[in-house]
Amino acid sequence: MRIAMGTDHGGFHLKEDLKARLTAAGHEVIDFGTDSDAAADYPDHVIPAARAVADGTADRGVVLCGSGAGAAITADKVFRVRSTTVHDVYTAHQAVEHDGLNVIALGARVIGAELAWEIVKAFVGAEFTGEERHVRRVGKIDELDRLRS
């Protein structure tokens, strides 16, 4: 799977850890930075990562900041991206299975590396169920995207 990643300085170290683990697991990581823990604005790195998912360059996205909130809000502004902050394994897979989540946001100052890895594995391993009720609901979300574009 091709996974786009983007973060500000607050998520840099966790991004690097997750990138190494994803690569070792056989995934292709497209890294949109930041490349250090020097101050950086999350939109500068999250937007390109989200756009890569939206245009099909990447299959999924993992974005980070200190809390995960700013990264999720930013990613979700990109047309065809569905993003939310996730800090538990259940939501990581359920949001993909039922809601078509394609970009996950993590708070690097909220969760540790081991939990983050479990969350990312659940997210990457999940698939949208395609059940009629979920297709209907996601269709309503997609209509909102079309209205705001």
Side-chain angles (χ1 to χ4, degrees):
M1 184 175 286
R2 293 167 309 181
I3 301 167
M5 297 188 80
T7 185
D8 66 1
H9 56 282
F12 169 71
H13 294 289
L14 184 55
K15 175 188 66 85
E16 291 298 302
D17 180 76
L18 293 171
K19 181 171 70 170
R21 292 179 194 227
L22 285 164
T23 301
H27 300 285
E28 177 188 345
V29 174
I30 307 165
D31 187 348
F32 290 95
T34 191
D35 298 325
S36 76
D37 58 5
D41 296 337
Y42 56 82
D44 295 341
H45 305 285
V46 169
I47 292 169
R51 284 183 175 153
V53 174
D55 72 17
T57 301
D59 302 301
R60 301 261 172 94
V62 177
V63 297
L64 306 94
C65 66
S67 69
I73 292 166
T74 301
D76 206 48
K77 297 294 183 188
V78 175
F79 184 65
R80 289 190 292 273
V81 167
R82 287 183 292 279
S83 180
T84 195
T85 303
V86 176
H87 291 145
D88 66 274
V89 174
Y90 174 77
T91 304
H93 67 81
Q94 186 272 341
V96 174
E97 295 162 353
H98 293 191
D99 309 312
L101 186 76
N102 55 12
V103 175
I104 194 169
L106 303 171
R109 294 179 178 148
V110 177
I111 59 172
E114 293 308 316
L115 178 55
W117 176 233
E118 293 303 316
I119 289 167
V120 169
K121 285 192 304 185
F123 169 67
V124 170
E127 295 294 330
F128 185 65
T129 67
E131 293 176 37
E132 187 277 329
R133 65 189 170 121
H134 301 307
V135 170
R136 182 181 67 246
R137 293 168 185 163
V138 169
K140 291 176 180 182
I141 296 167
D142 288 346
E143 181 60 25
L144 291 172
D145 254 355
R146 285 187 287 281
L147 292 173
R148 76 175 184 186
S149 67

